[in-house]
Amino acid sequence: MLSSLRAIAELKSRNTLILREHTWLKYLSLTKEKNVNLEQVDSLEQMAQNPVLEYVERTLQVLDRLSLPQREKELVEEVLMWSETAKCGLPHQRREWLDQGFHLGIHNIGSAQIYASEMEKRPEAKRNREREKLLYVLILTHGLAGQYIRGEVRYSSMKPLIEVATQEMFPLLYALNHCIVAGVSPGIWSSVQKEMEEVNCWICDGEVSKEQTFQERLHRLRDLASLRGEDFDAVYDEWMRSNPDAEKLLKRFFQKTDMWYVEASLTDFTFEEWVKIFLLIERKTRSSPSWNSFPLSP
C-alpha cells in the first residue's frame, strides 16, 4: 500500500497525530470548504463530508493498482497528494495563502504555489530542487490534458509541461492522467483513455500546435448534450448564421480563455442559453481583462 494511503487510513481510524507528519493531509482534512465536481456524486444526499479528500484517496487507490516503476510511482503519488490542497484548508490558513497571493480560485495554480511554499520550509540538506521543479510543473498542469480533451482549456495551457516533458516521461504522464480521470469516474476514463494516450504523446514529443478549432471546442463542450439527442452541427450552424457578430466575439473569447467544470455546470442548458451565458462572461472579461482562466462551479 502507498504510504499516502496508509496515512489516510490512520486518520480514518482517528489517529490525528498523523497530521503532524503529513502537511498535505492536514490541509485536505482540516477544512470547512466543500468543493465537489458533481460528476463524482449521484445525488447531493450521497455527497461525502469531505469530497476532496475522498477524491484524492480514490486517485491514490487507482495509482496503487497500477504497475509503474518505483520512481515514477513516487512522483505521481506526490503530485496527487498536493494537487487538490488549494480547495481545502481552514479559514485562517486560506486567508494566509490569499495574503501571499496564492490563486486559490484556480486550484491547479494555487496547489502548485502551496506545494512550492511548503518545500521552501524544508532544510536545504533535505531538498532536491530538480525534483521539486518537476513536481511543481506536474501539479501546476495536472488535469489539463483531460480538460483539453473536453474542450475546456487550450492546448497552450500545457506549455509549462511541454517545455519539460520528454519521451521517457510518457508512462508517468499517462499514469497520472489515468489516476486523475478514473478518480472522477472509471467510465469517463474508459471513454477518453485512447485520446489521452495521443495527447500525452504530443506533450512528450514537444508538439506545440494542437489547438482545437472554435467549432470543435464547442462541440466537445456539448458532448453530454449531444449524447442526449442534441444535433450540435445543426444548432451551431443555425445560431451562428443568425448571430454573426456574437460568433466573432466568442471566437476571440475562446482563443484566450480556459475553463473548468463546463459540462458539469451547464449541460442542462439549451445551446442558445449556453451560448448566451458565454456572451455574458465575455462581456465581463472585457471589463476585467486579467481574466483568462476561471472555474464554473458545478
Side-chain angles (χ1 to χ4, degrees):
M1 180 186 284
L2 298 174
S3 60
S4 54
L5 286 174
R6 284 198 298 271
I8 293 172
E10 283 286 318
L11 181 62
K12 286 186 170 182
S13 67
R14 301 185 184 280
N15 177 13
T16 56
L17 294 178
I18 198 75
L19 299 181
R20 295 181 182 179
E21 305 170 34
H22 298 276
T23 308
W24 62 274
L25 186 55
K26 179 180 73 172
Y27 293 149
L28 291 176
S29 60
L30 300 181
T31 183
K32 293 185 178 180
E33 303 295 308
K34 207 161 189 177
N35 292 287
V36 62
N37 180 347
L38 292 186
E39 291 172 303
Q40 299 175 25
V41 296
D42 294 325
S43 71
L44 292 177
E45 290 181 351
Q46 296 176 9
M47 191 162 64
Q49 281 296 108
N50 190 331
V52 175
L53 178 56
E54 294 219 355
Y55 166 70
V56 172
E57 183 178 20
R58 290 196 302 274
T59 65
L60 291 165
Q61 289 167 344
V62 174
L63 176 62
D64 200 34
R65 295 190 293 268
L66 294 183
S67 177
L68 200 65
Q70 188 63 26
R71 176 184 175 276
E72 282 80 1
K73 202 163 202 175
E74 289 175 356
L75 285 167
V76 173
E77 180 182 18
E78 194 157 358
V79 174
L80 296 174
M81 285 158 46
W82 288 97
S83 286
E84 307 297 311
T85 49
K87 295 180 179 179
C88 299
L90 288 170
H92 75 275
Q93 179 62 70
R94 294 182 66 79
R95 284 194 299 273
E96 182 179 323
W97 287 335
L98 289 169
D99 289 343
Q100 293 178 64
F102 293 179
H103 202 331
L104 304 186
I106 309 297
H107 82 275
N108 56 314
I109 299 174
S111 295
Q113 292 169 321
I114 292 167
Y115 168 78
S117 174
E118 291 300 322
M119 294 305 102
E120 288 295 329
K121 297 175 184 177
R122 292 185 174 184
E124 190 63 34
K126 293 186 177 181
R127 298 183 66 181
N128 180 335
R129 290 186 176 271
E130 286 302 311
R131 188 175 188 276
E132 288 176 20
K133 288 177 184 177
L134 176 59
L135 283 164
Y136 176 86
V137 172
L138 291 171
I139 296 168
L140 179 70
T141 58
H142 86 275
L144 294 184
Q147 303 306 118
Y148 166 77
I149 288 171
R150 302 184 82 169
E152 294 188 338
V153 305
R154 299 160 295 169
Y155 186 78
S156 61
S157 68
M158 294 183 282
K159 182 180 177 182
L161 180 58
I162 295 167
E163 290 176 342
V164 302
T166 63
Q167 292 183 340
E168 290 72 26
M169 283 177 59
F170 175 83
L172 183 155
L173 293 182
Y174 189 70
L176 175 59
N177 283 294
H178 184 171
C179 297
I180 291 168
V181 178
V184 175
S185 163
I188 293 177
W189 172 246
S190 296
S191 70
V192 303
Q193 65 181 105
K194 189 175 180 66
E195 189 169 5
M196 184 66 76
E197 181 177 351
E198 181 179 36
V199 172
N200 285 179
C201 282
W202 294 341
I203 293 168
C204 292
D205 287 343
E207 292 281 356
V208 294
S209 302
K210 292 292 182 179
E211 294 295 354
Q212 298 155 352
T213 66
F214 171 65
Q215 184 170 350
E216 180 185 6
R217 197 169 166 193
L218 261 60
H219 197 172
R220 288 171 179 265
L221 289 170
R222 295 295 292 175
D223 185 59
L224 287 178
S226 297
L227 291 174
R228 295 174 183 175
E230 177 180 273
D231 185 341
F232 173 82
D233 291 332
V235 295
Y236 174 91
D237 290 341
E238 180 182 357
W239 201 90
M240 296 303 170
R241 269 198 311 270
S242 303
N243 302 273
D245 291 338
E247 182 181 16
K248 292 175 185 176
L249 286 174
L250 287 172
K251 280 185 176 179
R252 285 200 298 268
F253 171 70
F254 273 83
Q255 284 172 355
K256 61 181 182 180
T257 304
D258 299 321
M259 292 161 282
W260 293 74
Y261 309 127
V262 175
E263 276 198 304
S265 303
L266 304 179
T267 190
D268 291 326
F269 290 89
T270 67
F271 182 82
E272 181 176 3
E273 293 168 337
W274 186 82
V275 169
K276 287 180 177 178
I277 289 170
F278 283 116
L279 286 170
L280 289 171
I281 296 171
E282 189 276 336
R283 184 185 303 170
K284 175 66 176 177
T285 61
R286 271 185 282 150
S287 63
S288 303
S290 61
W291 284 21
N292 69 346
S293 180
F294 57 91
L296 292 169
S297 299

